Amino acid sequence: MAQEVSEYLSQNPKVASWVEALRCDGETDKHWLHRREFLLRNAGDLAPAGGVASDDTADAESGTRTRQLQQLISFSLAWANHVFLGCRYPQKVMDKILSMAEGIKVTDAPIHTTRDELVAKKG
């Protein structure tokens, strides 16, 4: 899948530039490749298209698009934190990010043990 994403980005330089701007400082290449895939799979019409919208349309949709983009970025970070760092979030958030990530294959993610799992093993 990483090859498909790279091919897509090489054919769509506006999208490539847009998504690269969403990378966090200090984010490892491994984390970024998977989070970038998450962002691209879920961006929908948030990613730039070939055409240019009129100023009136852009102004009217600007606030909504900004909120949607912020939410997408937040979900992508929560998902990456869950996969790579073992973070947990409220069940509603976990359900949302896991459904958004369906089909993304992370083969080298660490395996985390929760405190509850450790306590259960002792008892």
Side-chain angles (χ1 to χ4, degrees), residues 18 22 35 38-39 42-46 62-80 89 92-93 96-97 100:
W18 171 81
L22 302 178
R35 193 167 76 83
F38 182 99
L39 288 164
N42 294 286
D45 63 352
L46 295 174
S62 178
T64 300
R65 289 175 59 83
T66 299
R67 283 189 300 279
Q68 290 173 336
L69 180 58
Q70 288 172 343
Q71 187 175 47
L72 174 60
I73 293 168
S74 297
F75 283 142
S76 74
L77 290 168
W79 175 76
Y89 299 92
K92 192 173 180 180
V93 174
K96 177 72 173 175
I97 62 176
M100 291 173 76

Side-chain angles (χ1 to χ4, degrees), residues 23-28:
R23 186 174 182 173
C24 296
D25 292 339
E27 190 166 17
T28 67

Side-chain angles (χ1 to χ4, degrees), residues 92-108:
K92 192 173 180 180
V93 174
M94 291 300 298
D95 292 344
K96 177 72 173 175
I97 62 176
L98 292 176
S99 72
M100 291 173 76
E102 278 185 25
I104 298 176
K105 303 288 187 238
V106 180
T107 57
D108 51 353

Side-chain angles (χ1 to χ4, degrees), residues 5 9 13-25 27 29 32-33 35-36 39-40:
V5 172
L9 292 175
K14 280 186 177 180
V15 176
S17 176
W18 171 81
V19 79
E20 281 302 318
L22 302 178
R23 186 174 182 173
C24 296
D25 292 339
E27 190 166 17
D29 289 341
W32 172 239
L33 290 176
R35 193 167 76 83
R36 180 180 71 180
L39 288 164
L40 291 170

